Amino acid sequence: MILDKKTKILIVGLGLIGGSYAKGFSKKGYDVSAIDTDPETIRYALQNGIISKGAVAPSAELVGSADLVIFAVYPRVIVSWIKENQHLFKGGAIITDVTGVKSCIVYDIQELIRKDVEFIAAHPMAGKEVYGVKNSDETIFYQANYIVVPTDKNTFEAIETCKAVGETLEFARISSLPPMAHDEMIGFVSQLTHCIAICLMTCSKSDHLVDYTGDSFRDLTRIARINEDMWSELFMLNKDALLRQMEKFMAEFEVFHSMLKNDDVEGMKNKMRLSTEKRALFDKPKGEN
C-alpha cells in the first residue's frame, strides 16, 4: 500500500498521541476516522475537525473501509481488540501501533492476525505531561524520533508504509530496530528516565521543594508527572530489560558516589567531560552525523 491522500486512516484510541496523529494527518488532507470508548472524546474531535467520522465501538463500516489502522491504546488492549474485531478489517489493510513496548505483543499479534492483513509495529518517541485529545498537538512530532519495529514476517511494502507515516507526520528522524533491541533501548532512554524522575520527586520528604528549585530540577523531573496506569503496565511488560538498565544505572551512580566520597576530583571531571561529549551529540542539526 502506498500512503497517499486516497488512503483511509482509522485511529483506535484518541488520546494525546492518537489525537496528535489524527490532527497531523487531517491537516495534510487525509481522511481520518477514529474509535474511542469516550463519547465526549469523539464529539470533541468531530466538532474541531480532528476527524471526519468517529464512533465509540467498532463497526463494519468504519473498520472495513480503513486502509491503514493505527492503534493508540494500551498494549494489552491492542491484542484483545484484534482478537475480537479482526474479522472487520479490510483485506490488504496494514495495521500499526504507537505503544512503548514491542516483544510482548508484536509476535502474538502477528501469529493471530488474519493472513490477508499485516501488522507492522512503530513507536513515536514523543509526548507531553498532559493527556487526552484536547491536548493533542501534531507539532510534538517535529523534533521527535520515530522507530519502525519490523520482524521477519513483515513485507517491504508494510515497512515502507510505516516509514511513510513518520515522514508524513514530519518526525525529525526515522530509524528501525527489531523488537528485542527496541525494548532494551526503550528500557534505557525512556523507562529508566521515568524511574529516575519518580525517585527524585519521592526521595525528599519536603513539601516546599517548589519554593527552592531551579530549572535543573524542573527539567529533570518534568516526566515525573505521570500516568500511573499506563506506565506501570509498560514497566511490567518490559520488566527484564528495565531491570537490567536500572542495575547499570545504579552501578554507574555508585562509581560516581565512590569518587566523591574518596575525593577523586579528576575521576569526576573525566565523567563530566565524557557526559558533556556524549550530550553534545543531541544538539547537532537534523541529518548531521
Side-chain angles (χ1 to χ4, degrees), residues 86 89-95 113-119:
Q86 65 166 315
F89 289 143
K90 178 181 182 180
I94 289 178
I95 319 300
I113 205 163
R114 278 168 38 197
K115 302 305 180 186
D116 61 336
V117 298
E118 185 171 349
F119 179 81

Side-chain angles (χ1 to χ4, degrees), residues 89-104:
F89 289 143
K90 178 181 182 180
I94 289 178
I95 319 300
T96 188
D97 72 326
V98 305
T99 192
V101 289
K102 300 304 180 188
S103 300
C104 59

Side-chain angles (χ1 to χ4, degrees), residues 183-199:
D183 291 352
E184 199 70 37
M185 181 61 68
I186 293 312
F188 179 68
V189 300
S190 177
Q191 295 179 344
L192 175 63
T193 56
H194 282 79
C195 291
I196 293 169
I198 292 164
C199 292

Side-chain angles (χ1 to χ4, degrees), residues 215-226:
D215 288 344
S216 58
F217 189 83
R218 280 190 287 268
D219 289 345
L220 277 168
T221 58
R222 176 182 61 82
I223 54 176
R225 186 177 176 185
I226 194 167

Side-chain angles (χ1 to χ4, degrees), residues 168-179:
T168 302
L169 295 174
E170 300 186 52
F171 281 85
R173 183 183 293 103
I174 298 171
S175 59
S176 179
L177 282 173

Side-chain angles (χ1 to χ4, degrees), residues 36-49:
D36 193 283
T37 56
D38 180 17
E40 174 58 24
T41 290
I42 294 297
R43 185 196 64 78
Y44 179 89
L46 287 168
Q47 288 184 348
N48 288 274

Side-chain angles (χ1 to χ4, degrees), residues 206-219:
S206 173
D207 293 327
H208 301 285
L209 290 177
V210 70
D211 298 327
Y212 315 122
T213 54
D215 288 344
S216 58
F217 189 83
R218 280 190 287 268
D219 289 345

Side-chain angles (χ1 to χ4, degrees), residues 161-282:
T161 299
C162 197
K163 289 179 180 178
V165 170
E167 292 166 358
T168 302
L169 295 174
E170 300 186 52
F171 281 85
R173 183 183 293 103
I174 298 171
S175 59
S176 179
L177 282 173
M180 291 293 290
H182 166 275
D183 291 352
E184 199 70 37
M185 181 61 68
I186 293 312
F188 179 68
V189 300
S190 177
Q191 295 179 344
L192 175 63
T193 56
H194 282 79
C195 291
I196 293 169
I198 292 164
C199 292
L200 277 171
M201 286 305 309
T202 58
C203 69
S204 172
K205 304 304 180 185
S206 173
D207 293 327
H208 301 285
L209 290 177
V210 70
D211 298 327
Y212 315 122
T213 54
D215 288 344
S216 58
F217 189 83
R218 280 190 287 268
D219 289 345
L220 277 168
T221 58
R222 176 182 61 82
I223 54 176
R225 186 177 176 185
I226 194 167
N227 180 330
E228 71 272 15
D229 293 326
M230 180 180 76
W231 281 97
S232 61
E233 179 174 328
L234 293 173
F235 288 173
M236 292 306 298
L237 289 172
N238 203 33
K239 178 180 177 179
D240 291 343
L242 178 55
L243 283 173
R244 284 192 292 271
Q245 298 304 334
M246 292 174 79
E247 287 157 7
K248 288 179 183 178
F249 177 81
M250 288 188 289
E252 186 71 6
F253 195 86
E254 180 55 37
V255 169
F256 205 86
H257 174 272
S258 179
M259 288 176 177
L260 178 61
K261 185 176 181 179
N262 296 308
D263 301 323
D264 184 1
V265 175
E266 191 54 38
M268 289 192 294
K269 285 184 177 180
N270 284 335
K271 287 288 187 185
M272 292 173 187
R273 283 190 284 265
L274 177 60
S275 170
T276 299
E277 178 184 332
K278 295 185 78 169
R279 184 59 180 81
L281 297 174
F282 287 72

